[in-house]
């Protein structure tokens, strides 16, 4: 009987990790963590949760992210939500584009994820993307990494490549059309915009996950799930409160 129970437990743990689609260098680690890039040059990894998220409901997403131990490493991680026609195969360009965007919105070439929005955790200064010199976070749209001066400026939370896990919490308020992001318990990014209609053309089912890449410079980069939950009164009827994607 014990053997049977042990076998069942093994299956259930395997299933937890099976809930991601992995692209490139992404692969499951222990303890609900997922490797995005090894500490090697020119890597790109993407992990999408196999369950789409419902933008018609309120939800909270709570992860730890690890961005490496070398202050001069690169390139960073993005949290992405998208309806790209390539679905779970969608990817962006490596290096400074962090597996999400493209080199420059003026250039025709380079794969990027769109329609989409992303929160970037950028650890490398790229003047070509109008980056601030320090590590920064920013809201991005439609596979464009470039920081236009007329949109919300990147924020600088300090060195992110400090060999520590950083708490990342994202909360979506569907009725208030507000997206809020905390890093290490400090509210860093707040966007109020009709994202559902302006970005996703009214499509409430979006794919979500994390992208990351390295270039000439590199760092180990991974994330760990802590919690996903639809919030009370707005949950889709087929999901129990708090059932999330565990
Ligand atoms: Ca840094
Ligand atoms: Ca950068």
């Amino acid at each position: 009987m014990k053997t049977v129970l042990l076998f069942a437990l093994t299956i259930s743990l395997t299933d937890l990790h099976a809930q991601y689609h992995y692209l490139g260098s992404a692969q499951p680690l222990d303890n609900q963590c997922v490797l995005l890039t090894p500490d090697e040059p020119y890597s790109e990894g993407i992990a999408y949760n196999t369950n789409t998220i419902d933008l018609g409901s309120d939800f909270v997403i709570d992860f730890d992210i690890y961005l490496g131990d070398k202050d001069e490493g690169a390139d960073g991680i993005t949290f992405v939500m998208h309806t790209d026609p390539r679905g779970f195969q969608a990817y962006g360009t490596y290096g400074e584009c962090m597996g999400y965007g493209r080199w420059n919105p003026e250039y025709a070439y380079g794969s990027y994820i769109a329609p989409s929005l992303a929160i970037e955790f950028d650890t490398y200064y790229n003047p070509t993307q109008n980056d601030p010199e320090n590590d920064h976070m920013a809201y991005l749209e439609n596979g464009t990494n470039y920081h236009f001066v007329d949109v919300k400026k990147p924020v600088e939370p300090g060195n992110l490549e400090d060999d520590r896990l950083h708490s990342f919490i994202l909360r979506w308020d569907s009725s208030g059309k507000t997206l809020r992001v905390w890093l290490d318990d400090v509210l860093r990014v707040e966007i109020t915009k009709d994202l559902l209609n302006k970005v996703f053309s009214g499509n409430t089912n979006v794919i979500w996950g994390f992208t990351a890449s390295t270039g000439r410079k590199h760092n180990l980069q991974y994330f760990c799930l802590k919690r996903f939950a639809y919030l009370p009164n707005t949950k889709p009827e087929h999901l129990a409160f708090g059932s999330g994607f565990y």
Side-chain angles (χ1 to χ4, degrees):
M1 191 60 186
K2 275 182 181 171
T3 307
V4 172
L5 284 173
L6 193 61
F7 178 71
L9 180 63
T10 304
I11 292 296
S12 112
L13 287 174
T14 305
D15 284 350
L16 287 174
H17 275 130
Q19 289 183 342
Y20 293 96
H21 289 281
Y22 300 102
L23 298 177
S25 55
Q27 58 179 279
L29 300 170
D30 292 338
N31 301 321
Q32 293 289 304
C33 299
V34 171
L35 173 72
L36 290 169
T37 67
D39 189 8
E40 294 171 5
Y42 303 106
S43 291
E44 175 173 340
I46 298 176
Y48 293 125
N49 199 288
T50 54
N51 294 293
T52 55
I53 211 167
D54 179 3
L55 284 182
S57 304
D58 295 356
F59 55 80
V60 61
I61 286 172
D62 189 348
F63 281 86
D64 280 332
I65 55 174
Y66 180 88
L67 291 132
D69 61 356
K70 295 187 294 295
D71 195 8
E72 295 304 313
D75 271 280
I77 291 176
T78 85
F79 171 83
V80 63
M81 296 194 279
H82 78 75
T83 54
D84 188 292
R86 293 170 295 176
F88 294 108
Q89 299 301 314
Y91 66 95
T93 303
Y94 68 94
E96 65 199 55
C97 306
M98 288 173 282
Y100 168 69
R102 51 186 154 166
W103 298 121
N104 185 311
E106 304 299 320
Y107 299 164
Y109 63 84
S111 182
Y112 59 99
I113 301 172
S116 68
L117 62 82
I119 301 296
E120 69 164 7
F121 303 88
D122 185 334
T123 57
Y124 193 76
Y125 170 51
N126 299 100
T128 46
Q129 303 291 0
N130 203 20
D131 280 348
E133 287 190 31
N134 297 318
D135 296 352
H136 55 280
M137 294 172 59
Y139 169 82
L140 306 175
E141 262 182 25
N142 294 327
T144 299
N145 294 83
Y146 187 85
H147 300 298
F148 294 99
V149 292
D150 58 341
V151 297
K152 206 170 176 66
K153 279 187 174 175
V155 294
E156 301 175 14
N159 179 31
L160 297 174
E161 301 147 303
D162 56 358
D163 197 23
R164 290 181 51 219
L165 291 171
H166 291 272
S167 161
F168 160 62
I169 297 173
L170 178 144
R171 200 166 164 144
W172 169 239
D173 170 3
S174 61
S175 56
K177 300 181 174 58
T178 302
L179 187 72
R180 293 185 179 88
V181 178
W182 288 259
L183 186 73
D184 298 329
D185 300 322
V186 177
L187 180 62
R188 302 285 188 178
V189 178
E190 183 168 343
I191 300 289
T192 300
K193 179 174 177 176
D194 187 1
L195 300 171
L196 178 57
N197 291 306
K198 293 282 197 286
V199 177
F200 298 114
S201 304
N203 185 352
T204 57
N205 272 339
V206 303
I207 292 172
W208 65 284
F210 289 89
T211 79
S213 62
T214 65
R216 187 171 54 84
K217 300 288 186 71
H218 43 89
N219 254 324
L220 172 67
Q221 301 175 111
Y222 63 87
F223 69 84
C224 307
L225 172 67
K226 288 157 79 180
R227 183 167 71 120
F228 172 92
Y230 285 105
L231 298 173
N233 304 321
T234 67
K235 66 182 185 296
E237 288 182 1
H238 64 285
L239 288 174
F241 170 60
S243 66
F245 296 157
Y246 292 99

